[in-house]
Amino acid sequence: MGIFLFFLLGGCISVLAGFFGVGGGFILTPMLMLIGFSPLEAIATSLLFTIGTSLSSIIAHIRMKSILWKEGMILGISGMAATQIAKPFVFFLESKGWDELAIPIFYIFLLAYFALKMLKQGKRNQAKVKVPPASTSIIKMILIGLFAGFISTTLGVGGGFIIVPLTITFLGIAPKEAVSSSMFAVLLIVVWGFMSYAFTISIDYKIGFVLVAGGLIGSQIGVRLIKYYENREISLLLGALYLATLVSVVMKLVDLSYIGLILLAVFAGIFFIRSMIKVRVKKRFMAENK
């Protein structure tokens, strides 16, 4: 039963990961800590999970032809470089005994910032935004990639939950293309980040691969759901997801982990129900107009 629940957890999280282009680690890491994993175990397991979901999602995004390869490559390579700076930082926190508190607090600040950013973005008119000049964009992409890579290895996330909102708000990339390009960058970052931990941290590979197995299925579903949503809706939903995850981390700090788990389950349930309704309405409309 425990293995099945981890499989189901991987599948549900990867649906959200594939839809939002965030890799899934920023949801899985706090979830694993809520369950009882230590911060370093949660980080390493989440990076392994994100490798699987990213690969699966990229295949679907390639079919949709929505990946901006140059942007994704610049973000990914700069992120890979930053992972090597983050690893010593994480071990320093652990050696001082600060990881149990510092990592959740770091999460809270980042999630609060990006939640406000995406909710504000979602309220705007999502007409095509003018992209900054190429030279400026490259510099911004490198900075975004460096920041995402550092956070990825520090918090055990793919970096997508940082890349997606920053590429939307600072580079002017449409949400659907930001999601697709983020997945490519995330894959490069998490593979490098995971290798940094693989030989120094004890990882439960059985649970890790069960999570990945569920993720391979869920991520394909998540990517396909994108076409049923407008860019504005994606931004608003991503902001809501950040808020739900933020509250769950806060609940963990005050020893009310079960409330955080319930909140994330409620968000996922609402999202899945809303998606099923949209798919049904779209199919009915297409059938009536044949």
Side-chain angles (χ1 to χ4, degrees):
M1 180 58 71
I3 293 298
F4 174 75
L5 290 177
F6 277 111
F7 178 84
L8 186 62
L9 177 64
C12 290
I13 290 177
S14 64
V15 171
L16 299 174
F19 180 84
F20 292 112
V22 293
F26 94 94
I27 308 171
L28 182 60
T29 300
M31 286 287 285
L32 291 177
M33 288 192 291
L34 289 173
I35 293 170
F37 281 59
S38 72
L40 285 180
E41 289 173 336
I43 288 171
T45 304
S46 291
L47 289 173
L48 175 60
F49 169 78
T50 306
I51 292 173
T53 57
S54 299
L55 278 170
S56 180
S57 297
I58 285 172
I59 293 172
H61 282 297
I62 289 174
R63 292 171 183 163
M64 295 168 61
K65 298 180 179 180
S66 55
I67 298 177
L68 303 176
W69 293 103
K70 184 188 78 173
E71 287 81 353
M73 183 66 72
I74 293 172
L75 290 165
I77 292 176
S78 55
M80 289 167 63
T83 62
Q84 301 309 300
I85 303 171
K87 181 187 172 184
F89 175 68
V90 174
F91 281 105
F92 169 76
L93 291 177
E94 185 194 30
S95 68
K96 296 293 184 180
W98 298 340
D99 56 323
E100 294 281 352
L101 183 62
I103 290 175
I105 289 177
F106 204 180
Y107 253 113
I108 290 170
F109 279 109
L110 285 173
L111 289 168
Y113 173 76
F114 288 122
L116 292 174
K117 273 282 184 184
M118 297 315 300
L119 290 173
K120 184 178 179 180
Q121 184 75 17
K123 293 179 181 179
R124 296 176 180 173
N125 181 4
Q126 291 295 313
K128 190 173 182 180
V129 184
K130 184 179 179 181
V131 179
S135 58
T136 305
S137 296
I138 291 174
I139 294 172
K140 288 182 178 180
M141 280 187 280
I142 292 173
L143 292 175
I144 291 171
L146 289 170
F147 184 52
F150 182 83
I151 299 303
S152 171
T153 305
T154 302
L155 301 182
V157 299
F161 90 104
I162 293 169
I163 293 174
V164 172
L166 290 185
T167 51
I168 291 172
T169 55
F170 291 112
L171 297 179
I173 297 176
K176 292 182 180 179
E177 292 181 334
V179 167
S180 300
S181 306
S182 167
M183 270 300 176
F184 176 54
V186 163
L187 177 62
L188 298 177
I189 293 171
V190 294
V191 168
W192 202 254
F194 176 73
M195 294 303 295
S196 298
Y197 288 114
F199 302 107
T200 52
I201 297 296
S202 177
I203 302 171
D204 190 329
Y205 283 98
K206 182 179 179 180
I207 290 178
F209 286 125
V210 169
L211 287 166
V212 170
L216 292 176
I217 298 172
S219 56
Q220 293 292 312
I221 298 172
V223 172
R224 285 177 170 78
L225 288 176
I226 292 176
K227 62 183 179 182
Y228 296 100
Y229 285 84
E230 300 294 329
N231 283 324
R232 178 176 177 274
E233 292 179 293
I234 295 174
S235 295
L236 288 172
L237 284 170
L238 185 55
L241 176 59
Y242 287 155
L243 282 177
T245 308
L246 184 157
V247 174
S248 74
V249 176
V250 173
M251 291 299 100
K252 163 71 173 176
L253 289 176
V254 295
D255 294 324
L256 293 172
S257 299
Y258 66 94
I259 295 179
L261 290 170
I262 291 172
L263 181 61
L264 287 172
V266 168
F267 175 86
I270 293 173
F271 172 77
F272 292 143
I273 292 171
R274 181 181 176 87
S275 297
M276 286 190 289
I277 293 172
K278 279 184 169 290
V279 171
R280 181 173 294 183
V281 170
K282 182 69 174 290
K283 287 183 177 180
R284 183 182 299 172
F285 176 78
M286 293 176 65
E288 291 175 352
N289 288 273
K290 279 186 177 181

